[in-house]
């Protein structure tokens, strides 16, 4: 009997994991992943194994859901202990690497006095030798520059720690992922393959075109009960057929958070892909089933996990033509290259843009626009807003830009001309620096400094400055993680009086009072320019 050709079900979710923790930018890049393993994962697991009741009781308070507490009952303590022991064994070199970064920082603090650094190279810990260049800034402060291309070709880039967890979902709610490892359970299928594995493309291509299941199952190394569970992810029922936009002008579809699909007859462009799965729901939304068969350009504004989401990107890899990423500053610990990372993950065409760099596209161009803020004043260059000029319309996809220096937008307006539509996030009271960057710090930041250096986007006053200086006719504020399918990566817990929503309403009121079209789309929206 011939093997039937089947479709992958639209509600099959995949979570990319690193050592069984939800994978994101810093957890994959080879210089930063050891710091997160050593300074976050190991410490959280040790705390849970020592006192699981502390974690259980803490998470009874929803406000602590984004904190360093493992979201399992005490009955999983033995499983967490097993993962901890395996981590200490299998990640031993990563733990040594992380300690070497701390040791090198101490060396540079004492041995770098403004004189030549030639002899200091002899003091670099052995595990780092050949992977770092020692440099001064113009104020004689020394720091290492990591040679990332070499690290990606070294044992410190651990593809063996990468895996995928598959499950079917029938609701949006998923547990918060950054404080809790993914332990095996009856609902999930854990597959140990690197993210670049070509069978992933074959699998997700079956969302659109049916194919035989067995070759994919075999390529993923599945046998026995795992292969049987994998077979339940498929169906004979064809999905609604994907279609490209064939109308006039530009169609804009809002998929939630900062994910917007811009389409003309000639080209499709998606920003920061975070896409909901397709299942029966009372909340209308665009899902994977509403994407065109090919996405010509994907624009990544920055590396935060709600904008560079590998869960969505890996599923779309076989549909994406070009990924456009911001250029990093070249080897600093806080600013690893997004281009190198995505290339190592199997994306074939990745293009870097710098500020005011241009990329020609059919019917227009994409221009990099400076992106200030939301990165705690760290020297992180891998962040970029995008001006998309298409069919005579100009749309600024400003992500979480904070108009700390509003005069910059005067210069942008002079250089790039009028803006028809502005899309902006307004996370005006983001988390403190330690919440995201704490594991990278070799010296803990004093609390006062930590609370001052926050992941803030624009408040109303600053967003109004952007509007005044760019003069758009349409202003849209992203929903900033309010959509329920973002809960596993954001855990925001907004209410109507949350400062972020209050500030967003102030901006919308200002715009409407001045004759501008303004809205805060939620879950799903469509407009035409």
């Amino acid at each position: 009997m011939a093997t039937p050709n089947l479709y992958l079900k639209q509600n099959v979710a995949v979570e990319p994991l690193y050592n069984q923790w939800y994978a994101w930018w810093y957890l994959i890049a080879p210089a930063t992943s050891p710091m997160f393993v050593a300074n976050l994962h190991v410490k959280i697991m040790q705390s849970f194994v020592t006192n699981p009741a502390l974690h259980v009781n803490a998470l009874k308070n929803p406000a602590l859901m984004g904190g360093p507490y493992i979201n399992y009952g005490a009955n999983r303590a033995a499983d967490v202990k097993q993962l901890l022991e395996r981590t200490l064994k299998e990640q031993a070199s990563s733990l040594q690497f992380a300690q070497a970064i701390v040791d090198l920082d101490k060396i540079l603090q004492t041995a770098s006095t403004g004189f030549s650094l030639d002899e200091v190279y002899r003091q670099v810990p052995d595990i780092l030798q050949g992977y770092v260049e020692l440099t001064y800034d113009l104020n004689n402060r020394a720091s290492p520059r990591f040679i990332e291309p070499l690290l990606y070709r070294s044992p410190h880039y651990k593809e063996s720690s990468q895996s995928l967890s598959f499950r079917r979902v029938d609701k949006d709610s998923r547990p918060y992922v950054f404080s809790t490892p993914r332990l095996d359970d009856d609902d999930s299928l854990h597959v140990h393959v690197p993210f670049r594995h070509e069978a992933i493309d074959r699998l997700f291509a079956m969302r659109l075109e049916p194919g035989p299941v067995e070759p994919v199952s075999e390529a993923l190394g599945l046998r026995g009960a795992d292969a049987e569970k994998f077979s339940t992810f498929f169906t004979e029922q064809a999905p609604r057929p994907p279609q490209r936009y064939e109308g006039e002008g530009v169609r804009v579809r809002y998929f939630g958070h900062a994910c917007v699909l811009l389409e003309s007859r000639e080209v499709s462009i998606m920003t920061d892909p975070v896409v909901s799965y397709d299942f029966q729901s009372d909340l209308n939304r665009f899902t994977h089933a509403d994407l065109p068969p090919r996405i010509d350009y994907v624009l990544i504004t920055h590396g935060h996990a709600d904008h560079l989401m590998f869960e969505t990107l890996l599923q779309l890899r076989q549909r994406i033509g070009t990924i456009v990423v911001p250029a990093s500053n070249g080897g600093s610990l806080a600013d690893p290259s997004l281009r190198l990372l995505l290339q190592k993950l199997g994306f074939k065409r990745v293009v870097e843009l710098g500020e005011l760099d241009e990329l020609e596209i059919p019917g227009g161009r994409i221009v990099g626009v400076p992106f200030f803020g939301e990165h705690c004043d760290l020297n992180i260059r891998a962040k970029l807003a995008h001006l998309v000029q298409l069919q005579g319309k100009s749309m600024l996809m400003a992500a979480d830009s904070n108009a700390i220096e509003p005069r910059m937008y005067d210069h942008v307006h002079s250089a790039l001309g009028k803006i028809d539509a502005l899309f902006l996030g307004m996370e005006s009271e983001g988390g403190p620096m330690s919440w995201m960057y704490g594991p990278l710090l070799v010296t803990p930041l004093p609390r006062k400094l930590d609370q001052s250096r926050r992941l803030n986007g624009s408040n109303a006053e600053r967003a109004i400055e952007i509007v005044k200086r760019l003069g758009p006719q349409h202003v849209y504020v992203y929903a900033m993680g309010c959509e329920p399918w973002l809960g596993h990566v954001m855990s925001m817990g907004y209410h109507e009086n949350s400062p972020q929503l209050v500030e967003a309403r102030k901006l919308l009121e200002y715009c409407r009072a001045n004759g501008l079209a303004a809205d805060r789309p939620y879950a799903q929206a469509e407009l035409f320019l």
Side-chain angles (χ1 to χ4, degrees), residues 325-328 352-358 366-373 379-387 408 412 415-416:
V325 299
S328 73
E352 283 184 335
L353 279 190
E355 294 162 344
L356 296 195
D357 283 348
E358 299 183 12
I366 298 165
V367 185
V369 174
F371 174 171
F372 289 2
N379 184 19
I380 294 176
R381 290 284 307 282
K383 61 184 192 297
L384 196 69
H386 299 97
L387 178 67
M408 185 267 287
V412 168
L416 301 177

Side-chain angles (χ1 to χ4, degrees), residues 65-79:
M65 186 59 68
Y69 304 104
I70 287 182
N71 190 16
Y72 284 119
N75 62 316
R76 301 304 301 264
D79 298 314

Side-chain angles (χ1 to χ4, degrees), residues 222-234:
L222 301 177
R223 301 288 185 273
D226 286 345
E228 184 176 346
K229 180 180 287 188
F230 185 69
S231 69
T232 67
F233 295 161
F234 298 86

Side-chain angles (χ1 to χ4, degrees), residues 14-323:
V14 57
E15 292 186 346
L17 305 179
Y18 183 89
N19 198 41
Q20 291 187 219
W21 292 76
Y22 194 84
W24 69 296
W25 183 26
Y26 282 159
L27 198 51
I28 300 174
T32 55
S33 62
M35 301 294 280
F36 275 78
V37 172
N39 298 330
L40 183 64
H41 297 168
V42 166
K43 291 181 178 180
I44 291 179
M45 288 190 289
Q46 287 173 333
S47 172
F48 184 81
V49 169
T50 301
N51 189 356
L54 172 69
H55 294 245
V56 172
N57 291 330
L59 292 179
K60 291 177 181 177
N61 180 356
L64 297 179
M65 186 59 68
Y69 304 104
I70 287 182
N71 190 16
Y72 284 119
N75 62 316
R76 301 304 301 264
D79 298 314
V80 174
K81 182 180 180 181
Q82 185 179 34
L83 177 59
L84 171 61
E85 292 172 347
R86 181 163 61 81
T87 299
L88 294 174
K89 179 181 178 180
E90 296 181 359
Q91 303 289 327
S93 63
S94 292
L95 300 178
Q96 294 169 9
F97 192 99
Q99 183 59 49
I101 290 176
V102 175
D103 295 342
L104 178 58
D105 181 76
K106 293 177 181 177
I107 291 168
L108 292 177
Q109 293 299 322
T110 58
S112 56
T113 57
F115 289 98
S116 170
L117 292 169
D118 287 4
E119 294 305 314
V120 182
Y121 278 91
R122 312 295 171 258
Q123 302 177 48
V124 173
D126 181 73
I127 199 170
L128 297 180
Q129 287 191 7
Y131 294 118
V132 295
E133 179 185 19
L134 306 181
T135 65
Y136 282 120
D137 65 16
L138 293 177
N139 291 308
N140 295 323
R141 292 182 293 251
S143 62
R145 182 179 73 86
F146 292 86
I147 314 301
E148 288 187 85
L150 290 178
L151 284 172
Y152 274 109
R153 290 165 173 79
S154 78
H156 302 299
Y157 177 59
K158 297 183 180 297
E159 280 193 334
S160 60
S161 296
Q162 298 174 8
S163 63
L164 301 169
S165 178
F166 293 93
R167 70 178 63 226
R168 291 194 305 276
V169 296
D170 56 12
K171 59 182 179 180
D172 288 310
S173 176
R174 281 192 277 167
Y176 182 69
V177 292
F178 294 119
S179 61
T180 301
R182 288 314 204 213
L183 302 178
D184 291 339
D185 57 41
D186 293 338
D187 296 326
S188 63
L189 174 63
H190 196 185
V191 180
H192 293 269
V193 294
F195 300 150
R196 62 175 173 81
H197 201 291
E198 57 85 24
I200 298 171
D201 292 338
R202 291 164 57 189
L203 170 62
F204 287 105
M206 292 170 68
R207 277 230 168 99
L208 301 181
E209 296 291 337
V213 174
E214 191 171 311
V216 178
S217 180
E218 290 179 352
L220 293 173
L222 301 177
R223 301 288 185 273
D226 286 345
E228 184 176 346
K229 180 180 287 188
F230 185 69
S231 69
T232 67
F233 295 161
F234 298 86
T235 178
E236 294 181 350
Q237 183 178 351
R240 56 184 183 272
Q243 296 180 349
R244 293 197 70 125
Y245 176 62
E246 297 293 344
E248 300 293 331
V250 179
R251 183 174 72 178
V252 180
R253 282 187 161 184
Y254 175 75
F255 276 70
H257 198 47
C259 181
V260 179
L261 179 66
L262 310 171
E263 296 175 284
S264 71
R265 283 179 174 174
E266 300 175 284
V267 69
S268 58
I269 303 164
M270 177 166 267
T271 66
D272 294 340
V274 177
V275 181
S276 170
Y277 297 101
D278 197 354
F279 51 82
Q280 187 173 356
S281 171
D282 294 333
L283 179 60
N284 292 331
R285 84 279 301 275
F286 292 124
T287 72
H288 281 272
D290 297 294
L291 294 171
R294 181 171 175 82
I295 302 170
D296 299 303
Y297 296 91
V298 162
L299 310 183
I300 301 296
T301 56
H302 58 301
H304 294 168
D306 54 320
H307 294 261
L308 180 67
M309 182 181 276
F310 297 119
E311 177 175 340
T312 297
L313 285 174
L314 289 178
Q315 296 181 58
L316 299 181
R317 186 169 58 194
Q318 32 78 36
R319 293 202 212 185
I320 295 171
T322 299
I323 294 191

